[in-house]
Amino acid sequence: MNQRQRLAEGDPSKAKPRRLGKNGDGAERHEAIYRTISDAIIEHRLKPGARLREDALAEVFGISRTGVRKILQRLALEQLVTLTPRRGASVTRPTADEAKDVFDARQMVECGLMPEVARQITAADVEELREMARSEREALRSGEQSRAIKLSAAFHERLAQLSGNATLAAFVGQLCSRSSLILAVYGSAGHLGCESHDHDDLIGYLEAGNGERAAAFMSRHLKAIEASLSIVEEEEEAPDLHSIFGG
C-alpha cells in the first residue's frame, strides 16, 4: 500500500497534520511536528540527503519558519538532520564509517550497562520487556519494517533506563535514533539483522541476574545487526513534502 492509499484509507500513523495558523507554534505542537518528521526519516519516507526547506515545512505544518528552525535544530542534535551553511537542512546520509562508529559506541555503552540492569531489574520490568519484544516480533511478521525498527530501538532504550543511569540512558536513546536511520536505509527488508528471539534470550539472562552473560549476548546481538547492513549510496533527491506529510 503506498503513501496516498494509506492517507485515503485513514491510516492514523500517516494522518494529515492539523494546521493551527499563526498561533500554532506552542510546545505541544512543536513536539508533535518533531515526532512526525523524525518518524518520516526513520521510516525512510524522507530519504538520506533529502533537502528539508524551512519555507516548505512551515507551509505544510502551518507554523512559522522560526518554529521549523527550532525543530530542525533539535533533529540535528540527534544527528537525524544535517545543517549546512547556505544550503540549509537535509536528512543525514549515514556513511559506512559513521555506522561503524555508532555500533562501536553501542557496544561500549550498552554492553557495559548490562550487569547493572541485571542487578536492578524487577519482575514488572521483565514483563514489560517481554511485551515490547512480542510487539516487535508481531510487527516483523506483519511486514511493518519501520515499526519493528522503532520498537527495537525502544526496547534498547528501555533496557538502558533500567540501569538507573539517566545520562547514559539518554545517550543510548540518541545512538538508537541514529541506528534506526541506518537500519531503515541499509538494513534487510523483513529482518532486523538478528534472530527474532534475541531480545527474549537477553531478557532471560537479565531475569536470572546473569549480567556477564547478558553483556556477552548483547555484544553478539549488536555485531549481528551491524554485519547485516548493506551500505549502498543513493542519489540525492528533493522530496515532495506535501505528499509525505499529507499536505
Side-chain angles (χ1 to χ4, degrees):
M1 182 182 296
N2 62 31
Q3 173 69 11
R4 295 185 183 280
Q5 288 173 322
R6 282 194 292 264
L7 289 168
E9 295 182 18
D11 183 345
S13 68
K14 306 297 184 294
K16 180 178 179 179
R18 184 166 60 93
R19 296 178 182 274
L20 297 183
K22 293 182 180 180
N23 297 319
D25 281 14
E28 289 187 8
R29 181 64 172 145
H30 282 195
E31 180 66 23
I33 295 170
Y34 158 78
R35 290 293 175 193
T36 299
I37 298 175
S38 176
D39 286 350
I41 292 171
I42 292 171
E43 292 171 3
H44 208 197
R45 289 182 284 127
L46 282 171
K47 295 184 179 181
R51 290 190 62 191
L52 302 173
R53 289 172 43 213
E54 289 180 6
D55 57 344
L57 287 170
E59 179 184 350
V60 166
F61 291 107
I63 65 172
S64 69
R65 290 184 62 171
T66 299
V68 168
R69 194 170 300 122
K70 289 179 180 178
I71 293 167
L72 291 175
Q73 288 170 347
R74 180 178 173 187
L75 289 164
L77 284 175
E78 297 186 1
Q79 300 186 42
L80 293 178
V81 163
T82 298
L83 301 178
T84 306
R86 295 183 298 278
R87 178 172 173 79
S90 61
V91 177
T92 298
R93 186 193 298 274
T95 66
D97 287 343
E98 288 167 346
K100 183 179 185 304
D101 286 348
V102 168
F103 279 95
D104 282 351
R106 290 188 65 179
Q107 283 277 350
M108 288 184 278
V109 179
E110 292 189 70
C111 296
L113 289 175
M114 289 305 98
E116 188 59 31
V117 174
R119 285 190 287 271
Q120 299 270 4
I121 201 165
T122 66
D125 295 332
V126 168
E127 183 178 350
E128 177 189 8
L129 290 171
R130 290 202 185 282
E131 177 61 25
M132 295 177 80
R134 184 191 63 77
S135 296
E136 179 190 333
R137 288 195 305 274
E138 287 185 355
L140 273 178
R141 280 198 296 266
S142 302
E144 299 175 87
Q145 181 83 358
S146 60
R147 181 167 175 265
I149 289 172
K150 288 190 288 185
L151 289 169
S152 178
F155 177 90
H156 282 263
E157 290 178 47
R158 183 59 183 143
L159 274 182
Q161 290 166 1
L162 293 177
S163 72
N165 189 316
T167 300
L168 287 178
F171 183 45
V172 169
Q174 293 177 4
L175 291 173
C176 285
S177 289
R178 295 181 68 187
S179 296
S180 294
L181 174 59
I182 292 166
L183 270 171
V185 177
Y186 302 120
S188 303
H191 200 259
L192 298 185
C194 55
E195 297 300 325
S196 61
H197 55 75
D198 269 12
H199 284 171
D200 279 311
D201 292 347
L202 179 58
I203 295 167
Y205 294 129
L206 293 169
E207 184 178 21
N210 197 330
E212 295 305 317
R213 287 287 298 275
F217 188 88
M218 175 68 84
S219 179
R220 293 195 299 273
H221 174 65
L222 293 173
K223 286 177 180 176
I225 297 172
E226 184 180 3
S228 74
L229 300 175
S230 178
I231 299 181
V232 178
E233 296 293 333
E234 295 184 1
E235 294 295 323
E236 186 173 326
E237 63 178 43
D240 182 345
L241 297 177
H242 281 281
S243 174
I244 290 170
F245 295 117

